Amino acid sequence: EAGVAQSPRYKIIEKRQSVAFWCNPISGHATLYWYQQILGQGPKLLIQFQNNGVVDDSQLPKDRFSAERLKGVDSTLKIQPAKLEDSAVYLCASSLGEGLYIQYFGAGTRLSVL
Amino acid sequence: TQLLEQSPQFLSIQEGENLTVYCNSSSVFSSLQWYRQEPGEGPVLLVTVVTGGEVKKLKRLTFQFGDARKDSSLHITAAQPGDTGLYLCAGFNNAGNMLTFGGGTRLMVKP
C-alpha cells in the first residue's frame, strides 16, 4: 500500500515570496492533517480536514497560510508571503477517520526561508 | 490549549543501558500516543494507551499511562543503536479528535 506522498521534499525561498506544498494521502483516508514541525520541537497541527471540509484550523495563521482539499483527496498548503519564522518541516498525515484511527505521516517538506 | 512536556529533551546512552522518558501535562487526555521519528521521515506510531494506569509492552519498550491520564512514560530495556531517534508523545483532547504533540526526547544509543 502506498504511503502519504508529499512534494517537494525541500524548498528554499526568500522572505515575502510564496510557496505551496502538495500532499496525496493514502487512498480511502477521509481525514487529512497538515502539521508544522520547527527544528527541535514536536509537530503542531495547522489544519485538519474531514473529506473536503475543515474540522479545525484554529492554529493556522490565516493572514498568510491557506489550505484546501479539493474533492476530498489531494491537498495543498500555501504560504503567502513567507516569513523567516516559517522555516520548518511541513508534515502531511492521513487517517481513515477522526479519533483513534492511526495517523500515517508523509516524509514532509523542509522549508527554508532566507 | 493542552500542553505536553517531555523530559529529558536529549539523552545519550551506551548500548545495553536502560532508560525512561517522561511526558507530563496539567491537562487530562482521553488517550495518549507515543511515536518515533527518524531524520528525514515523519513520525511513526508505536502505541496508543487509553485507560488510566494502563501498561503496554512492545518487545523491549514499556509504556505506561498515568492513573489520572495526565502523564505517561516510556521505558526501554537494553537499548540498541536502532532505538536512536526522536520520541514524541501526543495526547487526544476530550472529544478524541485532536492530537497535541509534546516537544520530543531525542535519544542517541551509542554502540
Side-chain angles (χ1 to χ4, degrees):
Chain A
E1 180 182 80
V4 177
Q6 290 189 247
S7 66
R9 286 300 310 273
Y10 306 93
K11 190 72 178 179
I12 301 174
I13 62 173
E14 294 187 349
K15 59 183 179 183
R16 292 188 289 274
Q17 286 187 323
S18 302
V19 64
F21 313 126
W22 174 80
C23 173
N24 185 16
I26 293 173
S27 177
H29 280 196
T31 311
L32 185 146
Y33 316 79
W34 282 102
Y35 289 88
Q36 179 193 57
Q37 186 173 23
I38 293 173
L39 187 64
Q41 299 181 17
K44 182 182 82 170
L45 180 68
L46 293 176
I47 188 166
Q48 178 177 335
F49 292 94
Q50 180 69 14
N51 296 308
N52 60 353
V54 175
V55 173
D56 186 273
D57 63 358
S58 58
Q59 299 191 95
L60 187 74
K62 298 179 188 63
D63 58 334
R64 297 183 301 106
F65 286 64
S66 64
E68 59 182 9
R69 191 183 183 197
L70 298 176
K71 301 181 182 178
V73 182
D74 293 5
S75 178
T76 56
L77 176 69
K78 296 180 182 178
I79 308 176
Q80 180 180 10
K83 292 185 175 182
L84 296 177
E85 59 261 36
D86 298 332
S87 294
V89 174
Y90 290 85
L91 294 163
C92 178
S94 71
S95 62
L96 281 171
E98 294 182 80
L100 289 181
Y101 288 101
I102 296 175
Q103 290 190 28
Y104 295 89
F105 285 80
T109 295
R110 182 176 296 276
L111 173 68
S112 296
V113 182
L114 306 179
Chain B
T1 303
Q2 296 178 303
L3 296 176
L4 281 165
E5 294 188 1
Q6 291 189 239
S7 62
Q9 285 186 290
F10 302 97
L11 190 56
S12 180
I13 61 172
Q14 292 295 132
E15 182 176 2
E17 292 183 359
N18 301 333
L19 67 114
T20 302
V21 298
Y22 300 93
C23 175
N24 295 292
S25 176
S26 58
S27 303
V28 175
F29 291 94
S30 61
S31 59
L32 194 138
Q33 298 182 325
W34 284 91
Y35 291 78
R36 187 163 80 100
Q37 185 177 21
E38 299 193 39
E41 298 183 11
V44 175
L45 180 66
L46 296 174
V47 77
T48 301
V49 284
V50 178
T51 307
E54 182 177 2
V55 177
K56 280 191 173 179
K57 292 191 175 183
L58 186 66
K59 296 183 180 179
R60 294 177 294 101
L61 277 61
T62 302
F63 304 86
Q64 184 164 7
F65 200 13
D67 291 340
R69 305 206 317 275
K70 293 182 178 182
D71 56 271
S72 182
S73 64
L74 158 60
H75 181 80
I76 302 178
T77 303
Q80 299 176 359
D83 296 328
T84 293
L86 179 67
Y87 288 83
L88 295 158
C89 66
F92 275 101
N93 61 353
N94 288 335
N97 61 354
M98 294 278 303
L99 201 57
T100 299
F101 280 85
T105 292
R106 189 165 299 279
L107 172 66
M108 177 176 291
V109 182
K110 301 175 184 177

